[in-house]
Amino acid sequence: MDVLLLSRFQFAITIFYHFLFVPITLGLVILVACMETQYARTLNPLYKRMADFWGKIFSINFVLGVVTGLTMEFQFGTNWSEYSKYMGDIFGSPLAIEAFVAFFLESTFMGIWLFSKEKLSPKMRAFCIWMVALGTNISALWIITANGFMQHPVGYVIRNGRAEINDFGAIVTNPYAWHIFAHTVVGSFIAGAFLVLGISSYHLLRKKEVAFFQKSFKFALILAVLAATATPFIGHESGINAAKMQPAKAAAMEAVWDSTNSLPFNIIQIPEPGKEKNFEALSIPKIGSFLYTSNFNGHVTGLKDIPKNERPNVPLVFYSFRIMVVLGLFFLAITWIGMFLYRKGKLLNAKWFLRTMIWSIPLPIVAINVGWIVSEVGRQPWTVWGLMKTADSVSPISSSQIMFSLISLVLFYTILLVGELYLIVKFAKKGPALLEVAAEEGSTHVS
């Protein structure tokens, strides 16, 4: 394995581990903030218990998300130094703003909310956690702004052999970045909501703390229904955007080999890259063109019109895209079924549904990660679309150096992941009672 492949693999592993935590953080913090807001409005102690319990799980996830994110950024200097030299002026600016604005905002108010919330008024508790929610989403925005430039370069000039900013406003308003941001954040809302739905379902099946977990289920279900319903429309706009700005990626998503108008959509399709064709069955006329152009007769560029050395890995992009779409449709269906059962008062008796929600907890994380495979592998062989290829971005280091850091990274991250899963499962199974017992023991010990 050469330096390029090992460096790509290491960065992919890092991103994968990091994105096991980030989506839950982005989604769960919104629910905790809504619970705190309800407590501030009503002074009902049930909402305080909910915010404390789900906030504990959020806190565990938040800490590990920060740890994995820090390691990821170091790789731009260790594994991708040529990219950093060429793109540092542009890529560094959004990341610096993310660190000095978003990270300090979320970490400061996270500390206040976490360690001083019993001393705060209900309104101040709610304010602090909403500031954490704002900070996490601003953080996501700036990181995706940096990634958006890699997908669709804007607002730059080439000077002295490197890319430099000449229009910061264009970088901030980059349409590609905003499409990615909307898609990522809404998907994260589903991830956070499904965690709460799954844990609540576990306790509702056992008829434990029914009032607590039924109310928690309602909060998460509302967010899940809204996010799952919005996702197909946001995804459609993202597909249109990809077809306009990265035709190779769009062609790989549907394995389109020949440029054509009125592209059909094949329900059954198996790409055969070696033959530059597909096995196809059950075609729906013109739907393919509509999905990528919003026009049933729209033109879609085929892979045969793109040089072979500028095509992404078609099977990987194609199947990842299919998995994401199928899961998105599942989220849409299961959340509306849940809403029907809840409104009809049949939720507690629908054991099949509650069991389904327990097993569905990891599925939004899977959907988000395969979505990022589509986004990042679909951009290959470019690090920065049309400007810099990945082969030109890697550091001049040896394979043995990368192998050492890769093995160390996997071991370290796996330990962190096992630790997080142990803590979350422990708290999730015991419910809010465990947290309250620990708090009582702590106060007794202090007194």
Side-chain angles (χ1 to χ4, degrees), residues 7 10 19 24 39 56 80 86 120 139 243 258 295 313 355 392 402 411 418 421 435 443:
S7 293
Q10 179 169 297
F19 246 76
I24 293 176
Y39 174 56
K56 182 69 173 182
W80 303 101
Y86 186 78
L120 300 174
S139 177
D258 297 298
N295 184 338
N313 185 317
R355 292 192 184 98
D392 300 323
I402 304 174
L411 290 174
V418 171
L421 290 176
L435 199 61
S443 60

Side-chain angles (χ1 to χ4, degrees), residues 187-202:
S188 298
F189 290 167
I190 297 174
F194 267 56
L195 179 68
V196 176
L197 290 171
I199 295 174
S200 298
S201 296
Y202 173 84

Side-chain angles (χ1 to χ4, degrees), residues 126-185:
F127 174 76
C128 286
I129 196 64
W130 276 114
M131 288 298 99
V132 176
L134 178 63
T136 56
N137 281 273
I138 292 176
S139 177
L141 175 61
W142 283 110
I143 291 171
I144 290 174
T145 296
N147 181 267
F149 183 90
M150 298 167 70
Q151 305 283 351
H152 177 58
V154 293
Y156 71 96
V157 62
I158 302 299
R159 184 182 294 121
N160 298 323
R162 60 195 299 266
E164 298 181 2
I165 297 174
N166 72 340
D167 187 350
F168 187 70
I171 293 174
V172 173
T173 59
N174 186 347
Y176 209 110
W178 283 97
H179 278 96
I180 299 174
F181 175 72
H183 209 17
T184 301
V185 167

Side-chain angles (χ1 to χ4, degrees), residues 175-176 179-180 183 231-254 288-294 299-301 321 324-325 374:
Y176 209 110
H179 278 96
I180 299 174
H183 209 17
T231 294
F233 299 98
I234 295 172
H236 174 63
E237 290 300 318
S238 295
I240 293 174
N241 192 58
K244 287 180 180 178
M245 300 179 183
Q246 293 186 14
K249 178 188 293 184
M253 288 160 65
E254 285 296 334
S289 283
F290 177 78
L291 292 175
Y292 286 104
T293 66
S294 289
H299 180 80
V300 178
T301 301
F321 178 67
M324 180 182 65
V325 170
V374 173

Side-chain angles (χ1 to χ4, degrees), residues 81 129 157 215 238-239 279 288 352 402 413 430:
S81 60
I129 196 64
V157 62
K215 185 66 72 173
S238 295
F279 169 80
W352 68 269
I402 304 174
Y413 276 8
K430 294 293 184 180

Side-chain angles (χ1 to χ4, degrees), residues 17 26 34 42 58 80 88 110 116 118 143 166 224-225 290 343 348 390:
Y17 273 100
L26 289 171
C34 289
T42 66
F58 163 73
W80 303 101
M110 183 69 182
S116 305
E118 298 303 330
I143 291 171
N166 72 340
V225 166
F290 177 78
R343 294 292 299 273
L348 293 179
T390 308

Side-chain angles (χ1 to χ4, degrees), residues 14 41 58 98 104 198 313 362 428 442:
T14 310
R41 288 180 62 251
F58 163 73
E98 184 270 334
F104 277 102
N313 185 317

Side-chain angles (χ1 to χ4, degrees), residues 371-432:
W372 275 108
I373 289 174
V374 173
S375 180
E376 300 305 295
V377 177
R379 189 185 67 238
Q380 296 301 320
W382 300 99
T383 306
V384 184
W385 183 264
L387 285 182
M388 186 179 202
K389 288 192 173 182
T390 308
D392 300 323
S393 306
V394 72
S395 299
I397 54 180
S398 67
S399 299
S400 59
Q401 291 174 303
I402 304 174
M403 189 64 72
F404 174 78
S405 61
L406 176 59
I407 294 172
S408 302
L409 188 76
V410 171
L411 290 174
F412 177 64
Y413 276 8
T414 301
I415 292 170
L416 289 180
L417 179 60
V418 171
E420 189 206 26
L421 290 176
Y422 169 78
L423 291 173
I424 288 180
V425 170
K426 175 184 175 181
F427 281 104
K429 283 187 173 182
K430 294 293 184 180

